[in-house]
Amino acid sequence: QIQRALRSLSIPLERLHIMKGHMMQDMCKGLSRQTHTQAKVQMLPTYICSTPNGTEKGNFLVVELLQNQVRTLLVTLYGDGNMSPHMMYKIFDMPEAIKQGEGEALFDFIAQCLSQFLAETISPDTRSSEERLPLGFVFPFSCRQTQLDKAELLSWSKGFSCSGVVGKDVVQLLQSAINKQEVGANGASGHWLSPWRGWKSSELTPGQLCHVDVVALMNDTVGTMMTCSTEGRPCEVAMVADKGSNCCFMAEAYLVETTEETSGRMCVNTEWGCFGDDGTLNDIFTPYDECVDEESSNPGEKRFEKMVGSLYLGEIVRHALIALTAEKALFTGTSVAVLKEKGVFTIQHILDIINNEDGITDVRRVLEVLGLQPSDRDCGRVQQICRAVVGRAATLYATGLAAILSYMCQTRDMETLIVNVGVEGELYTGYPRFEEILQSVSRLLAPECMANLLPSRDGSGRGAAMVTAVALRLAAQRREVDKVLAPLRLSRADLERVQALMREEMERGLGKETNASASVRMLPTYVSHTPDGTEQGDFLALDLGGTNFRVLVVRVTEEGISMASEIYIIPAAIMQGTGERLFDHIIDCIVDFQMKQHLTTQTLPLGFTFSFPCQQVGLDKALLLTWTKGFTASGCVGRDVVQLLREAAQRKQHLGMQVVALVNDTVGTMMACGYDDPKCEIGLIVGTGTNACYMEEMRNIGTVEGDEGRMCINMEWGAFGDNGCLDDIFTHFDKVVDETTINPGKQRFEKLISGMYLGEIVRQILMVMTEKELLFQGKPCPKLQTRNIFQTKFLSTIELSNGLALRQIRAILSELELEASFEDSVLMREVCQTVSLRAAQLCGAGLAAVVEKMRENRGLEQLSVTVGVDGTLYKLHPCFSQNVQKTLKDLAPNCNVTFLLSEDGSGKGAALVAAVANR
């Protein structure tokens, strides 16, 4: 019988693996918005998003509601890594009647305890009348928390049943009671509150509550985690092995679907005591567990807690002893009437019995004190049963811990997880083998995880002060961060103004008299049609924009488009030689390409993408305004570049091509997309630089003769704001970036939007935040002082929407030789998101001006149009495109705009301009 009892209390390793899997499934259910109401592991968000970093300092009040008492504490932190807080506390006995009375009476009693405590601990002389004391409230009951300082009580337990509290915000109830005390102490109400007849007001002396603010509510498990976090040693899991049982851990915030928080991490209170209430633990629930459950105040509920909580372990042992006595395996021939009494066998009795390794003398003494008359064999067998019950509890704790560790490891996408686990409770402190079992079993079940167990020091007191201190530190940091980022956050009114200013500048750029002074140049391109799908034939394209250039052949058939291309290099000597040498070299490369492609027998139309500043005076005529990008070829500036190419072809006697159009890459983008979608009448590039073009009515273009039809206008919108109209949008960071560029005061809109500058704006913000000690604990970062060290591509990596990207942020930061905490990574992401969102919103506001002008031009109530888009920022950044589209939809609700990604606007697009011209 004894062996059978011991076997029933022993759980095989395979079964523990199954149980771990069930718990992980229930955790996922608890976190999901769709299934959390069905989950037994409730996974309640605590709204605690950071652990202490050691810099917290100040005075913090704590009030803790205990089983029969109220404990008040005043904790002083010195910002020394939280190694030596100063603590004063007082415990007040609570009359039993209050626990079953009115809720108002309970909270008034707590407030009066606080008032007296403060009167005794803080001298009125040292207290400022304006001083506000932050308070952390330890409330060990199940609550639905919606903010750190807002929590509705779900249900009472532990003998409490105060009326009028379930469903109410307990933080507000306590704050109201405190405010009443302040009023009473200040003489406004003139009497000392005595809300309960069962105790006399003389038992407590009125004191002054000096502006106490309840800033955080938590349970003891969360406090345990917080008190184990010190400088350089964050604690991310906590377990309480006490009368009740619970565990909390820092989860990836985006997985906590029951909250709106998506950034960083949030502490989740598992409330795992209810695990198994759906029957998943039935096969390991012994007859002794069934008896304990039936006799409890909540049969069928909290079944996991009833197998592990020290409140229940004595009862499990008691029922096991009763059953074994009935089977005549124990206490034969002696009275065991004492075992019929519920609660007679306590956890302390068990610990006294199992912690004795020197024979049975102490076991006999414990049993005899209880009124039993054990034999030596009885003593040995009782000790075996006690060890089995406590060993099973430790094993179940280890299984729950393994589930949490594996979940953390998986959701952080880590191969191995090393984490600090704070532990508190009488089972942990009272049973020497508890830690050993916890470590060994959790390693068997989660070999990829290593848990360092840290003993908690007063989790519900000191830990609660830590929660409060961290909340205040984060609130102060949030105010400073918002102050730094506020100028970059654009309101709807700001965006409407940008849209209106862009429209004004567009009109000025189109006007014959005003064009010269407009910041948006609105250059005619002489492209008057987009593809209609009837184009066919072979077309050449030449793409010249840097030290490499491409020659392409684009074959347009009924089946679609096919392309072949080759890249040629322009040596530095030719880039910086004469114009003749440069264009001769280009013709040589075209000839080489046509020979390789067997295209020498026919004269092919050629579209020429020339990415240098030009004044276009015809579809095939453009005067070079200036060289850029390292070119200095002589005899070209002020000349028609199409004519220079034609002259070179004549010199080389090459008749295999006819230049029909000169195009910039934005127009090419529109044309490339226009072949696939006839409604594409706008081109947009957002990459290293930014620009837009669109089809304007000829009657509105004052700089070109003629009123019939349409013409594509190359806006050159990167220069929008060069006349000062965007000065109030320009922040301090933008000005610093602008001043360090090769063209200060020029291309100002581009400097707010394009990929060339966003990384540098972020770097300027990071330097200011480091200076203000908001990042990297204020430690100087020499590498961050280097211009352009923070590349725009980092923004794309950093802004990936899920929590796994935070590991990549750490990798980027270590590359920059920056030591970043998890919180630093979260803040870095916010900075990047703010800068890229502003860029996308400004781009969207510019587009809104374009589509609204097109709609009004055509006299339409609703415009349907497609935008062809190219550029790495638009294509590769995870949020940029959707932010552009959202802003555009918001600012131009009467326009139905589709976005189509371009493929090779400067090559395929240029050939299609030639194809349309040919048509």
Side-chain angles (χ1 to χ4, degrees):
Q1 297 98 320
I2 295 292
Q3 289 306 314
R4 190 167 64 247
L6 293 174
R7 270 198 306 276
S8 72
L9 291 162
S10 173
I11 306 170
L13 186 62
E14 301 77 38
R15 181 62 184 85
L16 294 177
H17 273 291
I18 293 167
M19 179 183 157
K20 174 195 162 189
H22 281 153
M23 184 170 275
M24 289 177 75
Q25 287 170 13
D26 220 24
M27 287 164 64
C28 292
K29 275 174 75 175
L31 288 172
S32 165
R33 188 177 283 108
Q34 282 75 36
T35 56
H36 74 99
T37 53
Q38 304 146 32
K40 295 304 175 187
V41 181
Q42 292 179 58
M43 306 295 281
L44 302 175
T46 66
Y47 295 85
I48 291 164
C49 298
S50 181
T51 53
N53 67 2
T55 64
E56 296 80 11
K57 56 185 173 184
N59 293 317
F60 303 93
L61 263 179
V62 174
V63 63
E64 180 183 9
L65 187 56
L66 302 167
Q67 188 77 33
N68 299 301
Q69 296 166 319
V70 170
R71 183 167 75 131
T72 55
L73 300 92
L74 183 65
V75 181
T76 305
L77 300 174
Y78 297 102
D80 60 352
N82 300 329
M83 301 308 290
S84 54
H86 180 258
M87 296 171 62
M88 292 187 285
Y89 71 92
K90 183 168 184 174
I91 294 174
F92 297 85
D93 291 324
M94 181 164 53
E96 189 66 28
I98 284 187
K99 293 163 65 175
Q100 283 87 39
E102 293 178 11
E104 187 181 358
L106 170 67
F107 289 98
D108 283 343
F109 179 78
I110 295 170
Q112 290 179 14
C113 294
L114 271 170
S115 185
Q116 181 169 333
F117 174 65
L118 283 174
E120 293 174 7
T121 52
I122 301 182
S123 160
D125 303 334
T126 61
R127 188 189 307 160
S128 159
S129 61
E130 296 303 311
E131 182 186 358
R132 305 201 71 81
L133 264 179
L135 180 139
F137 184 19
V138 183
F139 189 72
F141 301 96
S142 190
C143 290
R144 181 183 292 109
Q145 206 157 348
T146 52
Q147 291 173 28
L148 190 55
D149 60 352
K150 189 175 176 61
E152 289 178 10
L153 177 65
L154 295 175
S155 62
W156 287 114
S157 58
K158 303 171 191 173
F160 281 76
S161 59
C162 299
S163 62
V165 182
V166 172
K168 299 274 182 67
D169 177 5
V170 293
V171 173
Q172 188 53 51
L173 291 173
L174 178 58
Q175 189 67 61
S176 299
I178 287 170
N179 294 346
K180 257 197 275 183
Q181 288 293 309
E182 283 191 26
V183 170
N186 289 328
S189 66
H191 67 280
W192 173 233
L193 296 165
S194 177
W196 190 260
R197 294 190 206 91
W199 54 281
K200 300 183 183 70
S201 59
S202 58
E203 292 172 14
L204 290 170
T205 317
Q208 185 178 350
L209 287 184
C210 55
H211 308 300
V212 172
D213 293 326
V214 187
V215 300
L217 178 133
M218 72 231 71
N219 68 9
D220 51 354
T221 318
V222 176
T224 294
M225 183 182 78
M226 298 299 265
T227 196
C228 288
S229 285
T230 55
E231 188 177 17
R233 190 191 67 175
C235 177
E236 296 190 274
V237 186
M239 189 168 70
V240 170
D242 208 70
K243 290 181 174 60
S245 169
N246 199 10
C247 191
C248 69
F249 70 101
M250 295 299 286
E252 305 304 300
Y254 76 98
L255 294 171
V256 188
E257 293 181 5
T258 49
T259 72
E260 297 305 312
E261 187 62 55
T262 58
S263 192
R265 291 181 183 145
M266 181 183 287
C267 178
V268 170
N269 169 22
T270 64
E271 289 292 346
W272 72 8
C274 297
F275 176 58
D277 288 4
D278 57 356
T280 49
L281 297 180
N282 284 359
D283 60 320
I284 59 170
F285 226 58
T286 67
Y288 324 128
D289 297 309
E290 296 285 1
C291 292
V292 171
D293 184 40
E294 285 164 14
E295 288 182 3
S296 70
S297 60
N298 54 347
E301 295 176 15
K302 298 219 165 188
R303 302 192 88 190
F304 183 70
E305 185 167 284
K306 286 170 186 170
M307 298 173 80
V308 299
S310 62
L311 188 65
Y312 303 98
L313 298 186
E315 283 298 284
I316 297 170
V317 169
R318 182 174 73 86
H319 281 289
L321 299 187
I322 290 170
L324 290 168
T325 301
E327 292 175 357
K328 298 191 169 32
L330 279 176
F331 304 119
T332 49
T334 64
S335 169
V336 290
V338 67
L339 291 178
K340 303 289 184 189
E341 188 184 331
K342 185 181 174 184
V344 71
F345 212 98
T346 67
I347 184 63
Q348 195 52 56
H349 293 131
I350 293 176
L351 294 174
D352 289 345
I353 287 168
I354 62 176
N355 289 339
N356 167 39
E357 301 293 336
D358 306 323
I360 57 170
T361 311
D362 285 345
V363 180
R364 183 187 299 280
R365 180 181 53 75
V366 171
L367 295 175
E368 285 176 349
V369 167
L370 282 169
L372 297 167
Q373 298 167 344
S375 65
D376 286 357
R377 188 185 70 168
D378 292 337
C379 290
R381 288 182 170 181
V382 169
Q383 191 175 49
Q384 280 182 296
I385 295 294
C386 288
R387 281 183 180 150
V389 167
V390 176
R392 182 186 70 162
T395 300
L396 291 173
Y397 271 112
T399 307
L401 178 61
I404 282 169
L405 297 179
S406 286
Y407 177 83
M408 290 172 73
C409 193
Q410 285 174 23
T411 54
R412 295 181 185 188
D413 195 29
M414 300 174 84
E415 288 181 14
T416 55
L417 173 76
I418 300 173
V419 68
N420 290 324
V421 178
V423 194
E424 190 166 28
E426 61 184 334
L427 206 53
Y428 174 67
T429 54
Y431 180 40
R433 284 205 61 220
F434 185 88
E435 183 171 339
E436 177 195 326
I437 295 169
L438 204 59
Q439 287 277 25
S440 59
V441 175
S442 64
R443 281 311 298 274
L444 280 171
L445 295 174
E448 75 282 16
C449 304
M450 169 72 80
N452 301 317
L453 302 184
L454 306 173
S456 171
R457 288 169 291 171
D458 190 16
S460 53
R462 176 176 162 178
M466 294 289 192
V467 171
T468 311
V470 169
L472 290 183
R473 171 172 63 79
L474 291 181
Q477 182 182 340
R478 172 46 47 200
R479 286 192 296 273
E480 283 299 309
V481 167
D482 286 343
K483 207 182 290 180
V484 173
L485 296 180
L488 294 128
R489 291 180 168 143
L490 302 178
S491 65
R492 185 193 164 92
D494 292 330
L495 294 171
E496 285 172 344
R497 199 170 78 260
V498 170
Q499 179 184 359
L501 287 167
M502 176 69 84
R503 177 66 180 265
E504 284 174 28
E505 289 298 301
M506 288 169 70
E507 301 287 6
R508 290 180 66 194
L510 290 170
K512 191 171 185 178
E513 286 76 30
T514 53
N515 171 268
S517 62
S519 65
V520 180
R521 297 295 306 280
M522 305 295 281
L523 304 174
T525 66
Y526 298 88
V527 171
S528 53
H529 294 86
T530 54
D532 65 3
T534 65
E535 296 80 11
Q536 287 193 24
D538 288 355
F539 303 92
L540 290 173
L542 176 60
D543 178 14
L544 177 63
T547 52
N548 295 339
F549 76 100
R550 287 187 307 155
V551 184
L552 306 89
V553 62
V554 178
R555 293 193 169 91
V556 185
T557 64
E558 286 181 5
E559 286 74 41
I561 291 179
S562 61
M563 294 192 295
S565 67
E566 186 156 345
I567 294 174
Y568 293 91
I569 292 168
I570 303 177
I574 291 178
M575 284 169 65
Q576 290 148 18
T578 65
E580 280 191 9
R581 278 192 72 194
L582 172 63
F583 283 94
D584 284 353
H585 175 70
I586 291 169
I587 291 294
D588 286 341
C589 295
I590 292 172
V591 170
D592 175 72
F593 178 77
Q594 286 188 264
M595 287 177 67
K596 286 177 180 173
Q597 296 292 326
H598 309 294
L599 297 171
T600 52
T601 58
Q602 51 188 317
T603 301
L604 296 179
L606 180 141
F608 185 8
T609 300
F610 187 72
S611 300
F612 298 90
C614 286
Q615 180 189 350
Q616 199 152 352
V617 290
L619 181 60
D620 61 349
K621 186 165 186 175
L623 309 178
L624 177 64
L625 297 176
T626 179
W627 281 119
T628 57
K629 305 172 191 176
F631 281 75
T632 58
S634 61
C636 298
V637 173
R639 297 279 310 277
D640 174 8
V641 289
V642 174
Q643 188 56 33
L644 290 173
L645 190 62
R646 286 172 176 159
E647 288 171 3
Q650 285 172 359
R651 280 195 299 275
K652 295 286 182 178
Q653 298 182 341
H654 179 57
L655 305 174
M657 53 161 245
Q658 178 190 0
V659 187
V660 297
L662 183 128
V663 191
N664 88 347
D665 50 358
T666 316
V667 177
T669 294
M670 181 186 78
M671 297 297 273
C673 292
Y675 182 80
D676 299 315
D677 182 350
K679 286 201 297 187
C680 182
E681 296 186 84
I682 302 172
L684 172 68
I685 288 186
V686 195
T688 310
T690 182
N691 194 15
C693 68
Y694 73 103
M695 296 302 289
E696 178 59 88
E697 308 302 311
M698 280 292 291
R699 67 177 183 271
N700 296 332
I701 308 171
T703 51
V704 175
E705 297 298 320
D707 287 340
E708 293 302 313
R710 294 174 184 150
M711 182 182 288
C712 179
I713 292 293
N714 167 22
M715 294 177 68
E716 290 294 344
W717 80 0
F720 175 43
D722 287 5
N723 59 358
C725 67
L726 292 182
D727 281 2
D728 56 339
I729 297 283
F730 246 59
T731 67
H732 160 75
F733 310 111
D734 300 311
K735 287 169 188 158
V736 173
V737 170
D738 180 43
E739 284 161 11
T740 56
T741 60
I742 56 168
N743 56 347
K746 305 289 184 191
Q747 298 292 105
R748 300 189 82 193
F749 192 58
E750 182 167 88
K751 287 170 186 171
L752 299 173
I753 291 178
S754 74
M756 180 174 275
Y757 306 100
L758 298 191
E760 191 59 8
I761 296 170
V762 167
R763 186 181 73 87
Q764 294 296 334
I765 298 168
L766 298 184
M767 287 199 296
V768 167
M769 285 191 166
T770 306
E771 205 176 290
K772 290 179 178 289
E773 298 187 3
L774 299 171
L775 272 173
F776 318 125
Q777 293 191 335
K779 292 172 186 164
C781 312
K783 209 159 180 183
L784 201 55
Q785 308 294 325
T786 310
R787 266 185 61 201
N788 299 317
I789 193 84
F790 199 93
Q791 298 166 40
T792 296
K793 69 176 182 182
F794 291 165
L795 273 75
S796 295
T797 307
I798 285 170
E799 286 188 61
L800 284 168
S801 57
N802 66 35
L804 304 183
L806 292 166
R807 279 180 59 222
Q808 293 166 303
I809 297 176
R810 302 282 279 275
I812 289 169
L813 293 177
S814 64
E815 197 180 308
L816 298 175
E817 296 172 16
L818 296 169
E819 288 218 10
S821 67
F822 183 83
E823 281 75 20
D824 289 337
S825 301
V826 174
L827 184 49
M828 286 261 310
R829 185 159 68 181
E830 184 180 354
V831 170
C832 292
Q833 285 169 337
T834 303
V835 170
S836 73
L837 173 63
R838 182 186 67 157
Q841 287 175 328
L842 289 170
C843 186
L847 275 178
V850 173
V851 296
E852 274 297 303
K853 184 170 191 334
M854 291 174 74
R855 185 181 70 79
E856 291 173 23
N857 283 348
R858 299 174 190 190
L860 299 171
E861 283 189 18
Q862 196 79 22
L863 171 75
S864 286
V865 70
T866 297
V867 180
V869 200
D870 205 349
T872 49
L873 184 60
Y874 189 93
K875 286 180 170 179
L876 301 181
H877 189 281
C879 314
F880 194 90
S881 58
Q882 66 198 55
N883 286 332
V884 169
Q885 292 170 35
K886 182 176 180 296
T887 305
L888 177 56
K889 193 170 185 178
D890 192 37
L891 295 176
N894 296 323
C895 299
N896 180 24
V897 184
T898 305
F899 286 77
L900 186 61
L901 293 182
S902 164
E903 292 171 37
D904 194 16
S906 53
K908 173 180 164 185
L912 281 165
V913 172
V916 170
N918 204 50
R919 168 168 66 80

